[in-house]
Amino acid sequence: MKTLKNLLCCLATAALALPATAQHQGHQQQAQDTTHQMGHQIGMQHGDMQMPMSHAFSRNLPMNRNASGTGWLPDESPMYGNMYHRGDWMFMLHYNLFLRYNNQDVFEVGNRGDSQFDAPNWLMLMGQRFVGDRGLFRISGMISLDPLTVGGNGYPLLFQTGETFEGSPLIDRQHPHDLFSELSVGYTHMISEEADVFVYLGYPGEPALSNVAFMHRPSALNNPDSPLGHHWQDATHITFGVATLGVRYRNFKLEGSSFTGREPDEERYDFDKPRFDSRAVRLTFNPGPSWSLQASTAYVKSPEVAEPEEDVYRSTASVLYGKQLGGSNRFLTTTLNWGYNYVDAHHKEHSVLLESNLQHDRFAVYGRYEWLQKSAAELGFEEGVFGHDALFGIQALTVGANRQLAQLGTVNLHLGAQASVFRGSSELHPYYGELPVSAQVYLRVFPTIMVPRQ
């Protein structure tokens, strides 16, 4: 309860700190005007009628607010994909593929690095249709071929932890995502133009916890790597069994979820047992077209298979920013994210992420900074090395850029590179080195931007 109270206080403070708080109602109206304008711009021809394309969980919000699960993005977020129409249905296809060479600890200053050719990827198909005068039905399916193109033990990433391979914890590697990463349905009922109620069911799916999963954040789309704080922030984006009930009023959204706390097992092609043993609540507020704020808290039952008796109380808060800079594909997007895992008085760990992406027609430059805490056990050290309660601070800074090589129809091909520098607590220097550096080059394959029809 104390953590939840602190979260709500943080959200209230963030909202009060906005420069235009004194004009709150004016911003509400501005956001609503933008919503209606964008909703009517993006549409399909149906006979002589222009059918507006809406958000997946509201007939009165813009498509660009769509995010992973039931989360929200800022309204001025770019959307990359292909749109198709079949009768009363509208479908959208989204995907991201990196063909890359990845070298962690290029200069071999430690003994925990590795290198690999791989291809992290995901593909998502969404469909929606109106039901009567007030209903909206949507379906979504997402797959990842990571088990084949990355491997069962994932890809090298210094200081990364979480999940297992062949019964052993994955350390200094990012786990692959499951073949079936989302199969979900949702229904929204419009009470009025300003209010909706909705339900979301997924097997697998994403509960109402944290902000948009990194795979779908515009500020992270150009970066092939998972954040190091993934398991402090948005690791529940693949949950085998989730049910969410929510309500929207204007630009506020309150939702709660019952879900399976156990993260996916290492059998990446199967469907894990649904447990519905965990719970989460999230409050989201979009104060204007460029902003989305959220605070959430959850009880996560036994998330790690390697530590089945360890439950986690997870809390998060985030600010997302998106601004169109002119032109159809010129955006600045930024995410500030905080995540906190509480197990007991001796196991309390924070994580902070700040990432930004500047997209300018045919090229992009981006960066990510992280600070987080991890225990000795999470990093694979025996208790006798550092003691039972040892906790280490870790910092990571990544900068990268890519440029378009070609556009084949609606498919973009971008060549890019990025480098990261890490620094762990001094006790870790004999194992990782003082400043290990990683580097990678990649070919990114993704769809062109969806441009609103005028």
Side-chain angles (χ1 to χ4, degrees), residues 19 67 106 113 226 232 299 303 324 336 357 439:
V106 174
S226 162
W232 282 250
Y299 165 72
Q324 187 168 11
L336 175 61
N357 180 71

Side-chain angles (χ1 to χ4, degrees), residues 56-327:
F57 289 95
S58 176
R59 295 170 62 136
N60 295 288
L61 294 177
M63 287 175 58
N64 293 62
R65 197 179 293 196
N66 275 335
S68 60
T70 58
W72 279 358
L73 289 170
D75 293 348
E76 287 197 34
S77 297
M79 179 175 290
Y80 300 93
N82 305 120
M83 183 182 293
Y84 309 94
H85 304 287
R86 295 292 183 271
D88 294 330
W89 285 88
M90 184 274 293
F91 295 97
M92 288 185 293
L93 178 67
H94 309 279
Y95 55 90
N96 211 9
L97 166 65
F98 293 92
L99 303 170
R100 70 168 180 179
Y101 172 70
N102 172 21
N103 190 327
Q104 298 287 308
D105 193 7
V106 174
F107 303 110
E108 298 183 351
V109 298
N111 55 24
R112 311 269 293 211
D114 199 357
S115 62
Q116 183 171 300
F117 288 94
D118 55 29
N121 65 90
W122 57 267
L123 181 148
M124 185 175 190
L125 179 65
M126 300 174 60
Q128 65 187 70
R129 59 166 295 169
F130 290 168
V131 179
D133 295 330
R134 293 181 176 269
L136 175 63
F137 181 74
R138 54 86 71 187
I139 57 174
S140 181
M142 178 174 167
I143 63 171
S144 173
L145 297 180
D146 279 0
L148 292 175
T149 62
V150 173
N153 63 342
Y155 57 78
L157 182 58
L158 289 175
F159 294 102
Q160 184 63 294
T161 58
E163 302 197 15
T164 64
F165 177 66
E166 295 182 346
S168 298
L170 283 169
I171 301 170
D172 298 311
R173 303 189 73 88
Q174 165 62 32
H175 63 77
H177 289 100
D178 280 40
L179 173 64
F180 294 102
S181 299
E182 181 178 10
L183 294 172
S184 67
V185 298
Y187 176 78
T188 302
H189 190 78
M190 179 179 65
I191 300 174
S192 68
E193 287 191 1
E194 295 184 330
D196 304 300
V197 293
F198 63 89
V199 62
Y200 167 90
L201 304 172
Y203 182 61
E206 180 178 327
L209 178 58
S210 192
N211 71 354
V212 183
F214 76 93
M215 303 167 75
H216 304 285
R217 285 199 303 263
S219 57
L221 285 177
N222 282 298
N223 190 333
D225 288 339
S226 162
L228 297 180
H230 181 44
H231 289 260
W232 282 250
Q233 298 165 4
D234 55 6
T236 51
H237 74 103
I238 301 177
T239 297
F240 280 91
V242 57
T244 298
L245 182 64
V247 58
R248 174 192 74 92
Y249 178 67
R250 293 187 176 179
N251 287 300
F252 287 90
K253 177 166 59 75
L254 179 64
E255 52 195 326
S257 298
S258 174
F259 65 100
T260 300
R262 177 64 56 84
E263 293 175 356
D265 61 28
E266 59 188 67
E267 301 297 329
R268 300 295 174 178
Y269 302 99
D270 66 353
F271 289 85
D272 299 351
K273 178 182 178 180
R275 302 171 188 264
F276 293 98
D277 51 12
S278 305
R279 55 191 179 272
V281 61
R282 177 170 63 190
L283 177 63
T284 308
F285 173 45
N286 280 25
S290 294
W291 298 93
S292 183
L293 318 176
Q294 73 83 30
S296 55
T297 188
Y299 165 72
V300 187
K301 176 73 173 177
S302 185
E304 294 286 350
V305 66
E307 299 173 305
E309 297 181 357
E310 187 173 280
D311 303 332
V312 174
Y313 292 87
R314 181 169 297 153
S315 302
T316 79
S318 62
V319 179
L320 274 68
Y321 176 79
K323 183 66 176 178
Q324 187 168 11
L325 303 178

